Amino acid sequence: MAVLRYEDLLEDVNRELTEKGLEFIAKDGKTVILRPVLLLGKEELKVVTTLLNVVGDEDADTFVRIEAMDSMLLAAADKKQSLRDSLETLPPQIRTRVFDAWMKAGNGDALGEASA
């Protein structure tokens, strides 16, 4: 008989965070973990999937797309205020680099390779 243990599932989650999450050192020096899409909670996942269409719409205004990227990053962040404060002070083209790094860290398969 196969046995599935809760502790084993938690180990799987931690391994996914390590392998596919992205660490971002915020301007306040805190390490922010940007979690993979598949490890987000229900509400966070809803934000990401809703905004994915905006990010992928090349006809949309550039700043609308960047704001959508920022919102997706904030949904994935474990320390939202640290990330928010950092994103607010970065130029738009650098904010898209953070988004692209997060996507490449492990979300491409989950989101169909969306990128800025």
Side-chain angles (χ1 to χ4, degrees):
M1 170 198 306
V3 176
L4 185 60
R5 295 180 41 218
Y6 179 80
E7 291 81 16
D8 295 338
L9 296 174
L10 287 180
E11 287 177 22
D12 287 345
V13 168
N14 288 329
R15 187 175 56 254
E16 287 285 318
L17 279 173
T18 301
E19 293 174 0
K20 296 186 177 182
L22 177 68
E23 286 187 11
F24 176 80
I25 308 301
K27 77 177 193 174
D28 62 7
K30 293 181 181 176
T31 300
V32 177
I33 303 298
L34 297 169
R35 297 166 291 166
V37 170
L38 296 177
L39 295 181
L40 297 178
K42 182 179 178 179
E43 292 304 313
E44 296 158 330
L45 184 58
K46 188 183 294 186
V47 168
V48 169
T49 55
T50 300
L51 293 174
L52 185 60
N53 291 330
V54 175
V55 172
D57 182 1
E58 294 191 17
D59 293 329
D61 179 76
T62 300
F63 291 102
V64 170
R65 292 176 69 203
I66 291 170
E67 288 297 322
M69 289 179 216
D70 288 353
S71 294
M72 290 172 71
L73 290 169
L74 288 167
D78 67 338
K79 295 178 183 79
K80 295 179 187 334
Q81 191 60 49
S82 290
L83 182 62
R84 182 178 290 114
D85 292 345
S86 295
L87 292 175
E88 287 175 354
T89 60
L90 290 173
Q93 68 273 22
I94 303 301
R95 289 166 30 205
T96 62
R97 284 179 44 192
V98 175
F99 181 81
D100 286 341
W102 174 60
M103 295 301 294
K104 289 176 185 164
N107 291 313
D109 295 336
L111 294 175
E113 297 298 330
S115 182

